[in-house]
Structures are given as C-alpha cells and as structure tokens.
Coordinates of all heavy atoms in Angstrom, one line a residue:
T1 N 0.8 -1.2 0.0 CA 0.0 0.0 0.0 C 0.8 1.3 0.0 O 0.5 2.3 -0.6 CB -1.0 0.0 1.2 OG1 -0.2 0.0 2.4 CG2 -2.0 -1.1 1.1
D2 N 2.0 1.3 0.7 CA 2.7 2.5 0.9 C 4.2 2.4 0.3 O 4.9 3.4 0.4 CB 2.9 2.9 2.3 CG 1.5 3.2 3.0 OD1 0.6 3.7 2.2 OD2 1.3 2.8 4.1
R3 N 4.5 1.2 -0.2 CA 5.9 1.0 -0.7 C 6.9 1.3 0.3 O 7.9 1.9 0.1 CB 6.1 1.8 -2.0 CG 5.5 1.2 -3.2 CD 6.1 -0.2 -3.5 NE 5.9 -0.7 -4.8 CZ 5.1 -1.8 -5.0 NH1 4.5 -2.4 -4.1 NH2 5.0 -2.3 -6.2
R4 N 6.7 0.8 1.5 CA 7.6 1.0 2.7 C 8.1 -0.4 3.1 O 7.3 -1.4 3.1 CB 7.0 1.7 3.8 CG 6.7 3.1 3.5 CD 6.0 3.9 4.6 NE 5.5 5.1 4.2 CZ 6.1 6.3 4.5 NH1 7.3 6.3 5.2 NH2 5.6 7.4 4.1
I5 N 9.4 -0.5 3.5 CA 10.0 -1.7 4.0 C 10.6 -1.5 5.4 O 10.9 -0.3 5.7 CB 11.0 -2.3 3.0 CG1 12.1 -1.3 2.7 CG2 10.3 -2.7 1.7 CD1 13.2 -1.8 1.8
L6 N 10.8 -2.6 6.1 CA 11.4 -2.5 7.4 C 12.9 -2.0 7.2 O 13.7 -2.6 6.5 CB 11.4 -3.9 8.0 CG 11.8 -4.0 9.5 CD1 10.7 -3.3 10.3 CD2 11.9 -5.4 9.9
A7 N 13.2 -0.9 7.9 CA 14.6 -0.3 7.8 C 15.4 -0.7 9.1 O 16.6 -0.6 9.1 CB 14.5 1.2 7.7
G8 N 14.7 -1.1 10.1 CA 15.4 -1.4 11.4 C 14.5 -1.8 12.5 O 13.3 -1.3 12.5
V9 N 14.9 -2.6 13.4 CA 14.1 -3.0 14.5 C 14.7 -2.4 15.8 O 15.9 -2.6 16.0 CB 14.0 -4.5 14.6 CG1 13.3 -5.0 15.9 CG2 13.4 -5.1 13.4
D10 N 13.9 -1.7 16.5 CA 14.4 -1.0 17.8 C 14.2 -1.8 19.0 O 14.9 -1.8 20.0 CB 13.8 0.4 17.9 CG 14.2 1.3 16.7 OD1 15.3 1.2 16.2 OD2 13.3 2.0 16.2
G11 N 13.1 -2.6 19.0 CA 12.7 -3.4 20.1 C 11.7 -4.5 19.8 O 10.8 -4.2 18.9
V12 N 11.8 -5.6 20.4 CA 10.8 -6.7 20.2 C 10.4 -7.3 21.5 O 11.3 -7.6 22.4 CB 11.4 -7.8 19.3 CG1 10.4 -9.0 19.1 CG2 11.9 -7.3 18.0
E13 N 9.1 -7.5 21.7 CA 8.6 -8.3 22.9 C 7.8 -9.4 22.2 O 6.8 -9.2 21.6 CB 7.7 -7.4 23.7 CG 7.0 -8.2 24.9 CD 6.0 -7.4 25.6 OE1 5.9 -6.2 25.5 OE2 5.1 -8.1 26.2
F14 N 8.3 -10.6 22.4 CA 7.7 -11.8 21.8 C 7.4 -12.8 22.9 O 8.2 -13.7 23.1 CB 8.6 -12.3 20.8 CG 8.0 -13.2 19.7 CD1 8.6 -13.3 18.5 CD2 6.8 -13.9 19.9 CE1 8.1 -14.1 17.5 CE2 6.3 -14.7 18.9 CZ 6.9 -14.8 17.7
A15 N 6.3 -12.7 23.6 CA 6.0 -13.6 24.7 C 4.5 -13.5 25.1 O 3.9 -12.5 24.8 CB 6.9 -13.2 25.9
D16 N 4.1 -14.5 25.9 CA 2.7 -14.4 26.4 C 1.7 -14.2 25.3 O 0.8 -13.4 25.5 CB 2.6 -13.4 27.5 CG 3.5 -13.7 28.7 OD1 3.8 -14.9 29.0 OD2 4.1 -12.8 29.3
N17 N 1.8 -14.9 24.2 CA 0.8 -14.7 23.1 C 0.7 -13.3 22.6 O -0.4 -12.9 22.2 CB -0.6 -15.2 23.6 CG -0.6 -16.7 23.9 OD1 0.1 -17.5 23.2 ND2 -1.3 -17.1 24.9
R18 N 1.8 -12.6 22.7 CA 1.8 -11.2 22.2 C 3.1 -10.9 21.5 O 4.2 -11.4 21.9 CB 1.7 -10.2 23.4 CG 1.7 -8.8 23.0 CD 1.6 -7.8 24.1 NE 0.4 -8.1 24.9 CZ 0.4 -8.3 26.2 NH1 1.5 -8.4 26.9 NH2 -0.7 -8.6 26.8
L19 N 3.0 -10.2 20.4 CA 4.2 -9.7 19.7 C 4.1 -8.2 19.5 O 3.1 -7.7 18.9 CB 4.3 -10.4 18.3 CG 5.4 -9.9 17.4 CD1 6.8 -10.1 18.0 CD2 5.4 -10.6 16.0
T20 N 5.1 -7.5 20.0 CA 5.1 -6.0 19.8 C 6.5 -5.7 19.2 O 7.5 -6.1 19.8 CB 5.0 -5.3 21.1 OG1 3.7 -5.6 21.7 CG2 5.0 -3.8 20.9
V21 N 6.5 -5.1 18.1 CA 7.8 -4.7 17.4 C 7.8 -3.2 17.2 O 6.9 -2.6 16.6 CB 7.9 -5.4 16.0 CG1 9.2 -5.0 15.4 CG2 7.8 -6.9 16.2
S22 N 8.8 -2.6 17.8 CA 9.1 -1.1 17.6 C 10.1 -1.1 16.5 O 11.2 -1.6 16.7 CB 9.5 -0.4 18.8 OG 8.6 -0.5 19.9
A23 N 9.8 -0.4 15.4 CA 10.7 -0.4 14.3 C 10.7 0.9 13.5 O 10.0 1.8 13.9 CB 10.3 -1.6 13.4
R24 N 11.4 0.8 12.4 CA 11.4 2.0 11.4 C 11.1 1.4 10.1 O 11.6 0.4 9.7 CB 12.7 2.7 11.5 CG 12.9 3.5 12.7 CD 14.4 3.9 12.9 NE 15.1 2.8 13.6 CZ 16.1 2.1 13.0 NH1 16.5 2.4 11.8 NH2 16.7 1.1 13.6
L25 N 10.2 2.1 9.3 CA 9.9 1.8 7.9 C 10.5 2.9 7.1 O 10.5 4.0 7.5 CB 8.4 1.6 7.7 CG 7.6 0.5 8.4 CD1 6.2 0.6 7.9 CD2 8.3 -0.8 8.1
A26 N 10.9 2.5 5.9 CA 11.5 3.4 4.9 C 10.9 3.2 3.6 O 10.6 2.0 3.2 CB 13.0 3.3 4.9
P27 N 10.7 4.3 2.8 CA 10.2 4.1 1.4 C 11.2 3.3 0.6 O 12.4 3.4 0.7 CB 10.1 5.5 0.9 CG 10.1 6.4 2.1 CD 10.9 5.7 3.1
V28 N 10.7 2.5 -0.4 CA 11.5 1.8 -1.3 C 12.0 2.8 -2.4 O 11.3 3.6 -2.9 CB 10.7 0.7 -2.0 CG1 11.4 0.0 -3.1 CG2 10.2 -0.3 -1.0
D29 N 13.3 2.6 -2.7 CA 13.9 3.4 -3.8 C 13.6 2.6 -5.1 O 14.2 1.6 -5.3 CB 15.4 3.5 -3.6 CG 16.1 4.4 -4.6 OD1 15.6 4.4 -5.8 OD2 17.1 5.0 -4.3
E30 N 12.6 3.1 -5.8 CA 12.1 2.4 -7.0 C 13.2 2.3 -8.1 O 13.2 1.3 -8.8 CB 10.9 3.1 -7.5 CG 9.7 3.0 -6.6 CD 9.1 1.6 -6.3 OE1 9.4 0.7 -7.2 OE2 8.4 1.4 -5.3
L31 N 14.1 3.2 -8.2 CA 15.1 3.2 -9.2 C 16.2 2.2 -8.9 O 16.8 1.6 -9.9 CB 15.7 4.6 -9.4 CG 14.8 5.7 -9.9 CD1 15.5 7.1 -9.9 CD2 14.2 5.3 -11.2
R32 N 16.5 2.0 -7.7 CA 17.6 1.0 -7.3 C 17.1 -0.3 -6.9 O 17.9 -1.3 -6.8 CB 18.4 1.6 -6.2 CG 19.1 2.9 -6.5 CD 20.0 3.5 -5.5 NE 19.4 3.4 -4.2 CZ 20.1 3.4 -3.0 NH1 21.4 3.4 -3.0 NH2 19.5 3.3 -1.9
S33 N 15.8 -0.5 -6.8 CA 15.3 -1.8 -6.4 C 15.0 -2.7 -7.6 O 14.7 -2.2 -8.7 CB 14.0 -1.6 -5.6 OG 14.3 -1.0 -4.4
E34 N 15.1 -4.0 -7.4 CA 14.8 -5.0 -8.5 C 13.6 -5.9 -8.0 O 13.7 -6.4 -6.8 CB 16.0 -5.9 -8.8 CG 17.1 -5.1 -9.4 CD 18.3 -6.0 -9.6 OE1 18.1 -7.3 -9.7 OE2 19.4 -5.5 -9.6
Y35 N 12.6 -6.1 -8.8 CA 11.5 -6.9 -8.4 C 11.6 -8.2 -9.1 O 11.7 -8.2 -10.3 CB 10.2 -6.2 -8.7 CG 10.0 -4.9 -7.9 CD1 10.3 -3.7 -8.4 CD2 9.5 -5.0 -6.6 CE1 10.2 -2.5 -7.6 CE2 9.4 -3.9 -5.8 CZ 9.7 -2.6 -6.3 OH 9.6 -1.5 -5.6
H36 N 11.4 -9.3 -8.4 CA 11.5 -10.7 -9.0 C 10.1 -11.4 -9.0 O 9.8 -12.1 -9.9 CB 12.5 -11.5 -8.2 CG 13.9 -11.0 -8.2 ND1 14.9 -11.5 -7.5 CD2 14.4 -9.9 -8.9 CE1 16.0 -10.8 -7.6 NE2 15.7 -9.8 -8.5
R37 N 9.4 -11.2 -7.9 CA 8.1 -11.9 -7.8 C 7.1 -11.0 -7.0 O 7.5 -10.2 -6.2 CB 8.2 -13.2 -7.0 CG 9.1 -14.2 -7.5 CD 9.3 -15.3 -6.5 NE 10.4 -16.1 -6.7 CZ 11.6 -15.9 -6.1 NH1 11.8 -14.9 -5.3 NH2 12.6 -16.7 -6.3
E38 N 5.8 -11.3 -7.2 CA 4.8 -10.7 -6.4 C 4.4 -11.6 -5.4 O 4.1 -12.8 -5.6 CB 3.6 -10.3 -7.3 CG 2.4 -9.8 -6.5 CD 1.2 -9.5 -7.3 OE1 1.2 -9.9 -8.5 OE2 0.2 -9.1 -6.7
V39 N 4.4 -11.2 -4.1 CA 3.9 -12.0 -3.0 C 2.5 -11.7 -2.8 O 2.1 -10.5 -2.5 CB 4.8 -11.8 -1.7 CG1 4.1 -12.5 -0.5 CG2 6.2 -12.3 -2.0

C-alpha cells in the first residue's frame, strides 16, 4: 500500500501470546530496487 519496507528493529517483545515490534519503515527506492516476484 505505501511501498515501505522495514529499515530497522528497535525493540521486540515476543512472549505471552503477544508480539510487539518497535521499528522503522523506509520508502522503497524504486530506481535502485529490483522486483522478482509478487507475493
């Protein structure tokens, strides 16, 4: 939807049936990226 990808993970809590991820997303550089498949 936004052409953003994970740029880094700052913190993860993965326990007690809960997952919380504090992270950073960055826009994809369309000129330098190569696409192989659609997921």
Side-chain angles (χ1 to χ4, degrees):
T1 59
D2 299 326
R3 282 300 197 243
R4 294 180 190 256
I5 58 176
L6 191 69
V9 175
D10 300 319
V12 176
E13 178 190 339
F14 202 156
D16 299 326
N17 296 325
R18 177 180 305 123
L19 173 60
T20 303
V21 179
S22 300
R24 289 166 275 115
L25 296 183
V28 172
D29 185 327
E30 297 293 341
L31 297 176
R32 297 185 314 156
S33 294
E34 297 175 22
Y35 296 97
H36 301 170
R37 300 174 201 91
E38 177 185 2
V39 172

